[in-house]
Amino acid sequence: MHVCQILKAKSPELISVTPDQPMVEALRLFRDNNIGFVVVSRSPGECLGTLSERDCCYAVAEYGTEAPKMRVADIMNRSVATCSTQDFLPFVMAIMTERRTRHVLVMDGGAPVGVVSIGDVVKHRLDEALRNEQALHEYIAGTAHH
C-alpha cells in the first residue's frame, strides 16, 4: 500500500504552529484536535521542523515549569523523519522503527502534505489482516469468488 492511499483515508488537514508560539499553545492544539504532532512553519508549504508530544515531554523533563512558556522553535525537532506519497507502508514502518518515532511527515515536491502516524500503520495492517482472514474463511468454505 502506498502512502498516498493512507492519506486518502485520513483528514487532509495538516495542522501547523509557528516557531514563535509558546509550547503551551501547541499542547492546547494537540488537545483540541486530538493529535500529537504538528508541523512548524511560518507559511503554507514550509517545514522548519516538527513538534510532537514526546518533544514536549522532553522539554518539561529538561526545563521544568519554564517549558510551557518556551517557544516552539526552542524545543522542536529539526531532524524530521520524512517519506513521499509514493513510498510503501513497510518503508514507512522501517523509518518509524529506525528513528524511534511515531510520526513520519509526508512530503510531495518539497512541501509537507500529510502525516503517517503509528496509529495509521496499525489501522491499515489490521484491516489487511482482517481481509486476509476473511479470504481464507471463504476459501476454506468454498465460497471464494474466482
Side-chain angles (χ1 to χ4, degrees):
M1 172 172 286
H2 284 104
V3 169
C4 60
Q5 293 169 291
I6 294 170
L7 292 182
K8 285 180 187 174
K10 297 179 60 159
S11 167
E13 186 178 13
L14 185 61
I15 298 175
S16 64
V17 295
T18 65
D20 297 325
Q21 285 182 266
M23 181 181 88
V24 71
E25 284 184 19
L27 289 172
R28 287 185 186 117
L29 200 59
F30 289 167
R31 178 199 61 207
D32 295 346
N33 291 279
N34 196 28
I35 58 173
F37 180 89
V38 291
V39 173
V40 181
S41 68
R42 285 194 172 87
S43 62
E46 177 185 58
C47 177
L48 302 172
T50 60
L51 186 72
S52 69
E53 291 170 320
R54 183 179 285 179
D55 297 325
C56 295
C57 287
Y58 287 172
V60 170
E62 179 78 20
Y63 304 107
T65 57
E66 293 302 309
K69 300 176 224 161
M70 294 177 73
R71 294 177 336 125
V72 166
D74 297 326
I75 59 173
M76 71 182 187
N77 178 10
R78 288 175 169 80
S79 176
V80 180
T82 64
C83 68
S84 83
T85 57
Q86 295 306 305
D87 285 328
F88 288 99
L89 188 57
F91 177 76
V92 175
M93 294 166 62
I95 291 171
M96 288 179 173
T97 302
E98 181 181 312
R99 299 282 302 269
R100 297 191 50 78
T101 185
R102 296 170 176 264
H103 303 90
V104 176
L105 188 61
V106 182
M107 305 292 283
D108 188 22
V113 295
V115 176
V116 175
S117 72
I118 191 73
D120 299 327
V121 170
V122 170
K123 179 192 180 313
H124 287 278
R125 295 301 292 207
L126 179 59
D127 290 348
E128 180 181 57
L130 292 173
R131 282 191 305 274
N132 288 341
E133 180 181 353
Q134 181 64 35
L136 284 172
H137 282 292
E138 290 173 3
Y139 177 77
I140 290 168
T143 60
H145 296 87
H146 299 286

